[in-house]
Amino acid sequence: MDFAELAPDTSGYLGLVAYLQLGFFQSISMVSAISELAAKETLSTAAGFALSKHQGLVAEIRRRGEDPTEVMAPYVSRVDDFLLLTRGASVNENLLSIYITQGFLDDFFISLSDGLPHDVGARYASLLGADSGTSGIVSLLTDAITVDPKRAHFLAMCGRRLLGDTLLLAQSALVLEGHSESEEARIEPVFTELIATHTRRMDALGLTA
Amino acid sequence: MDFAELAPDTSGYLGLVAYLQLGFFQSISMVSAISELAAKETLSTAAGFALSKHQGLVAEIRRRGEDPTEVMAPYVSRVDDFLLLTRGASVNENLLSIYITQGFLDDFFISLSDGLPHDVGARYASLLGADSGTSGIVSLLTDAITVDPKRAHFLAMCGRRLLGDTLLLAQSALVLEGHSESEEARIEPVFTELIATHTRRMDALGLTA
């Protein structure tokens, strides 16, 4: 039995991921609004990438003859709660949140797309794998840490909290039937790999995971 | 003497218009964030269109060998003040603000592009003339007025205040030397035409201008 067999049906997958990308678009736009002019370029570009992913997934929902609003509706409160929970109190915390949560969840949903019918899964993975503008966000964060190295400890702590919330959202996307041992066995290697990638993401900022 | 001769230099024009489009992108994103799911589709699409215009103008700044941040910087506080002044207290007021201010200013800067060197002026006008997603915003507003016709009077009043603020921002873009009579004579026919277009925009909502 494979991890990808825990994937929701195609419609559920698209609804959750499409609304999540819309949420990333909103979150990044909001950070852009409160940022310095030079950072606005990086952030509005990243917001545009998230919007493109959202629009690509909405087009996929329409292609299936479904209504995007109806398909996304069941996930609105879950995603809104997640975005509220992972919203930071400062620009730098918000940048870290975007970098960590978007990076993790895009990877996670790319992995999970293996459990969808082959042709569409590959298409959605390719949409999600497109540029997110991450390198610009990493530059903004490393600049902020260079300017004030005392930020490193606080941001490292934020990164741990973000990982926890993100793991929970990821897990909520899986169709679990409560056969805890066999399900855990299937989930574990994938989550281990995603957490290792998270650690590399923190490393890229010079932060301990 | 022609109205278009009051146009700023190419760099000043691009800096103001590029930052204004970034501002529209931010404003529309913010309304999207507080809107119902069905409206979010319309609004995120419109935000994407404003972002595309911004990115097109930033590409034009780069093409001239200039730094977009430096070119936009002189206009940040003027545009931020304008957006704050024209921000509404409700979703419907904000929708009206986007519809009225963006519609007027896109038209205004298209007119003003006639005063720039011919080839670039035509290119910027074509960027600004691209789809703004206005029809979706008009639908949201007419739906809101149909649901509660008492909104019409309040929104009509908002439209008048928005027109005043928008005229002032437009005027601030002109290079005026204080020869008031001859300058007024050049400005008047253009503003008269833009105000007539504004009236048609209000008419489209069933509101008196």
Side-chain angles (χ1 to χ4, degrees):
Chain A
M1 291 278 274
D2 181 41
F3 163 74
E5 290 172 29
L6 304 173
D9 63 16
T10 303
S11 193
Y13 177 97
L14 282 172
L16 173 54
V17 184
Y19 190 70
L20 183 65
Q21 295 298 329
L22 185 64
F24 287 143
F25 158 72
Q26 299 281 186
S27 297
I28 305 169
S29 302
M30 250 177 254
V31 188
S32 172
I34 57 168
S35 292
E36 297 294 315
L37 184 54
K40 278 185 206 290
E41 277 315 293
T42 298
L43 290 167
S44 61
T45 302
F49 286 139
L51 182 60
S52 291
K53 292 186 191 185
H54 165 73
Q55 289 172 335
L57 293 162
V58 162
E60 292 286 352
I61 295 172
R62 290 225 167 83
R63 191 170 181 166
R64 293 168 49 80
E66 295 180 309
D67 174 55
T69 303
E70 277 173 34
V71 171
M72 291 188 286
Y75 306 100
V76 168
S77 67
R78 192 196 303 174
V79 170
D80 285 355
D81 287 351
F82 170 73
L83 294 172
L84 200 62
L85 209 59
T86 55
R87 185 176 297 165
S90 68
V91 168
N92 290 322
E93 264 179 85
N94 279 304
L95 291 175
L96 184 74
S97 177
I98 291 159
Y99 172 56
I100 293 302
T101 62
Q102 190 183 38
F104 188 107
L105 291 169
D106 281 359
D107 283 354
F108 171 76
F109 284 108
I110 288 170
S111 292
L112 201 58
S113 71
D114 285 346
L116 302 176
H118 182 65
D119 56 329
V120 299
R123 232 164 41 224
Y124 307 163
S126 142
L127 268 170
L128 289 177
D131 192 1
S132 299
T134 309
S135 62
I137 292 178
V138 168
S139 295
L140 292 173
L141 279 166
T142 47
D143 288 354
I145 295 168
T146 306
V147 166
D148 183 0
K150 288 196 298 295
R151 283 176 175 144
H153 176 68
F154 176 66
L155 290 174
M157 204 181 62
C158 293
R160 284 165 213 134
R161 207 203 57 216
L162 289 165
L163 178 63
D165 291 333
T166 306
L167 285 167
L168 287 176
L169 185 77
Q171 189 183 303
S172 80
L174 301 175
V175 178
L176 301 178
E177 286 162 356
H179 310 125
S180 53
E181 263 182 60
S182 73
E183 283 174 346
E184 279 301 320
R186 280 185 277 171
I187 295 173
E188 209 208 297
V190 176
F191 274 47
T192 301
E193 176 50 35
L194 289 169
I195 291 168
T197 311
H198 166 80
T199 304
R200 287 193 288 277
R201 240 175 244 124
M202 295 294 280
D203 279 348
L205 299 180
L207 301 178
T208 47
Chain B
M1 292 279 270
D2 181 41
F3 163 74
E5 289 172 29
L6 304 173
D9 64 15
T10 304
S11 194
Y13 178 96
L14 282 172
L16 173 54
V17 184
Y19 190 69
L20 183 64
Q21 295 297 331
L22 185 63
F24 287 143
F25 158 71
Q26 298 280 189
S27 297
I28 304 169
S29 302
M30 249 178 259
V31 189
S32 172
I34 57 169
S35 292
E36 297 293 316
L37 184 55
K40 278 186 205 290
E41 275 316 292
T42 298
L43 290 167
S44 61
T45 302
F49 286 139
L51 182 60
S52 291
K53 292 186 190 184
H54 165 73
Q55 289 172 335
L57 293 162
V58 162
E60 293 286 351
I61 296 172
R62 291 225 166 82
R63 191 168 179 166
R64 292 166 49 80
E66 295 181 309
D67 174 55
T69 303
E70 277 174 32
V71 171
M72 291 188 287
Y75 305 101
V76 167
S77 66
R78 192 195 303 175
V79 170
D80 285 355
D81 287 352
F82 169 73
L83 293 172
L84 201 62
L85 209 59
T86 54
R87 185 176 299 166
S90 67
V91 168
N92 290 322
E93 265 180 83
N94 278 303
L95 291 175
L96 185 74
S97 178
I98 290 159
Y99 173 56
I100 293 301
T101 63
Q102 188 183 38
F104 188 105
L105 291 169
D106 280 0
D107 283 354
F108 172 77
F109 285 107
I110 288 171
S111 292
L112 201 58
S113 71
D114 285 346
L116 302 177
H118 183 64
D119 55 329
V120 300
R123 231 167 37 224
Y124 308 163
S126 141
L127 268 170
L128 289 176
D131 191 2
S132 298
T134 309
S135 63
I137 292 177
V138 167
S139 294
L140 292 173
L141 279 166
T142 47
D143 288 353
I145 296 168
T146 305
V147 167
D148 183 1
K150 287 195 299 295
R151 285 177 175 142
H153 176 69
F154 176 67
L155 290 174
M157 206 181 61
C158 293
R160 285 166 213 133
R161 208 204 56 215
L162 288 166
L163 178 63
D165 292 333
T166 306
L167 285 167
L168 288 175
L169 185 77
Q171 190 182 301
S172 80
L174 302 176
V175 177
L176 301 176
E177 285 162 354
H179 309 125
S180 53
E181 264 180 59
S182 74
E183 283 174 346
E184 280 301 319
R186 281 186 277 170
I187 294 171
E188 209 208 296
V190 177
F191 274 47
T192 301
E193 175 50 34
L194 289 169
I195 291 169
T197 311
H198 165 80
T199 304
R200 285 193 290 276
R201 237 174 245 123
M202 296 294 280
D203 280 347
L205 300 180
L207 302 178
T208 47

